[in-house]
Amino acid sequence: MAAAIIGVVDDDKGIRAALDDLLQSAGFRVVTFSSAKALLSSVCLPMLACLILDLHMPGMDGLTLQRHLADAGFRVPIIVLTALGDSEIQARALDQGAVAFLTKPIDSELILAAVTRAITGNF
């Protein structure tokens, strides 16, 4: 069976690289994007098993991207990452269908557990 493809959207190159390394070491295939616009123009979008979105990005932020994908009928489990989250923003992300809301710095075990739950439907 082919490894699940995980999409990572974050404007921070270091975060993208760290998540890429972590997820690949766990056996996932990873595609990274520096912006919502880059994701939306990608041919990879329909192949993603899970999507990890940064909340705060220039241009379209993570919550707007999440809503845009849902409005377009794109159904993929979404994990939201942020360094500056609060309970109101967390509630909005989860109400919009996010399967997890995690804070930076990234906890390897938490992110891997969230991705595993997302791709297996255990959320």
Side-chain angles (χ1 to χ4, degrees):
M1 184 166 92
I5 302 172
I6 311 302
V8 175
V9 184
D10 198 305
D11 60 311
D12 184 316
K13 184 178 181 178
I15 297 290
R16 288 193 313 271
L19 284 170
D20 186 25
D21 290 345
L22 174 65
L23 294 166
Q24 284 194 49
S25 73
F28 298 108
R29 293 175 51 203
V30 182
V31 289
T32 63
F33 306 93
S34 61
S35 67
K37 183 179 178 179
L39 170 71
L40 292 172
S41 65
S42 171
V43 297
C44 296
L45 190 56
M47 296 178 266
L48 299 177
C50 177
L51 190 54
I52 300 171
L53 302 180
D54 183 23
L55 183 61
H56 299 284
M57 297 182 288
M60 187 183 294
D61 67 29
L63 288 181
T64 304
L65 175 57
Q66 180 186 15
R67 191 172 46 253
H68 177 83
L69 292 169
D71 290 348
F74 183 71
R75 304 287 181 243
V76 63
I78 292 175
I79 297 167
V80 176
L81 283 182
T82 186
L84 304 169
D86 62 33
S87 59
E88 181 182 325
I89 292 172
Q90 180 179 9
R92 283 180 46 210
L94 296 172
D95 286 348
Q96 287 181 198
V99 299
F101 187 92
L102 304 174
T103 57
K104 297 175 186 175
I106 299 165
D107 180 306
S108 300
E109 290 181 20
L110 285 178
I111 194 81
L112 289 174
V115 168
T116 300
R117 284 192 313 274
I119 64 173
T120 60
N122 291 327
F123 42 88

